Amino acid sequence: MNFPTTGTPADALLADLDDRLARDPDVHGARLFGLVYPTGLDSLEALLESVHRRYLFHNALNPFKFPGLAALEADVVRMTGDLLHLTGDGGGSMTSGGTESILMSMLVNRARARARGVDRPEILVPVSAHPAYAKAAHYFDMEVVPVPLDEHLRADVAAAAERIGPATAVVVASAFSYPYGVMDPVADLAALADAHGVGCHVDACIGGFVLPFLERLGVEVPPWDFRVPGVTEISADVHKYGYVPKGASVVLHRDPDWFGHQVFLYDAWPSGMYGSPVVAGARPAAPIACAWAALRHLGVDGYTAITRGLLATTRMVRNTIDALPELRLLGDPVGPVLAFTGPDIAGVGAAMDARGWHCNRIVDPPGLHVMLSPAHAGVIDAWVTDLRAAVADPVAPDPGSEIRYS
Ligand SMILES: Cc1ncc(COP(=O)(O)O)c(C=O)c1O
């Protein structure tokens, strides 16, 4: 498309966008499993739309120009810290998403390691952890040291103990992992990190706004948050199970030294002091304000009620998989993200695709992956019926159809 010479009326543009939207999956229709987190709550969506409109053009770069907006961000960080039991002088910031939260944590851990004289700091990463750690290593000249999984698909603590060494900057644990929805043994990994005087980052990008409410519902959740000694950082994405539009995550640090390592300050240019706490310079305000509004609108009661529904949907999915001898659940997922395999799982996946479901794939072992959202409650009976039919009658997959990015 060339740069337009003349303008196009708004109606025509909106009609064009509607055509394009029709080519993408319906983000409310709950046939996607991952990427989007529809709640089906009209009141929440109406609120988020109104908040978004109010903060369309603000810029979170300069807290002195927009002190009201800066206070919203501080509130989101404090509310999340409270939920995850951050006490004392720690703190953190909002970022654009899980990847940026992880980048910021790795940057801080690199600075701490460098202060101890480590040249090329290492990140001990379970192989089930998100690629954002490898991205951080790539950006920040760090080294990834992979930690294999045990037979339950959790990070193998003994293997981590063999790999930790003088160059280790930080040990990573997922609460819970994306591929299998399984909790790593956070307490053991954090103890290992602590014994070596290094950081422990808990990736709660998915779990951060699910696990606290599962715990309230009586689900046995292994310890994973700041109540665990040795946990130094947590990332938690409001734009996943916090149910706000994309662009909102929180990175939290137990120690106050984070500020000096994470915040970039620069004054050697004609415009004076420039400060920025994250990768982005100018930052959209709407995700911050939406996060603030959603956390306050739903509160513990609202999130717990949503999580209760998620739990019921998850149980239906698990019971269905358990009842089908052709399928096997992978590991023991703690919440609404899970994966399963079977002898002809590619054929089952293709048959589900043909029925209009967007189940993700995993490759080790080959499997299907579902990330349940609250809105799936309305379609789960149909999904279960289709899964049974797909298992009974798998179809040959198109070559390459198993390659997906989540
Ligand atoms: C466990 C985990 N960590 C980090 C991320 C990265 O989050 P984002 O895509 O918001 O950058 C994801 C994304 O799915 C994730 O599942």
Side-chain angles (χ1 to χ4, degrees), residues 82-104:
D82 183 38
L83 186 69
L84 307 188
H85 302 275
L86 179 64
T87 53
D89 304 328
S93 66
M94 287 193 71
T95 68
S96 62
T99 300
E100 199 179 13
S101 288
I102 289 168
L103 289 177
M104 293 300 94

Side-chain angles (χ1 to χ4, degrees), residues 334-360:
V334 66
V337 175
L338 51 89
F340 53 98
T341 188
D344 190 7
I345 201 69
V348 174
M352 290 301 274
D353 289 348
R355 288 172 167 81
W357 299 102
H358 297 262
C359 297
N360 294 322

Side-chain angles (χ1 to χ4, degrees), residues 64 77 104 112 241 249 340 343:
F64 303 106
V77 171
M104 293 300 94
R112 292 177 185 146
Y241 286 99
S249 172
F340 53 98

Side-chain angles (χ1 to χ4, degrees), residues 37 96-100 102 130 132-133 174 176-178 203 205-206 237 239-240 371 406:
Y37 300 78
S96 62
T99 300
E100 199 179 13
I102 289 168
H130 192 269
Y133 298 95
S174 300
F176 37 88
S177 71
Y178 174 82
D203 183 351
C205 285
I206 326 179
D237 292 356
H239 71 195
K240 293 190 171 75
M371 206 161 186
S406 303

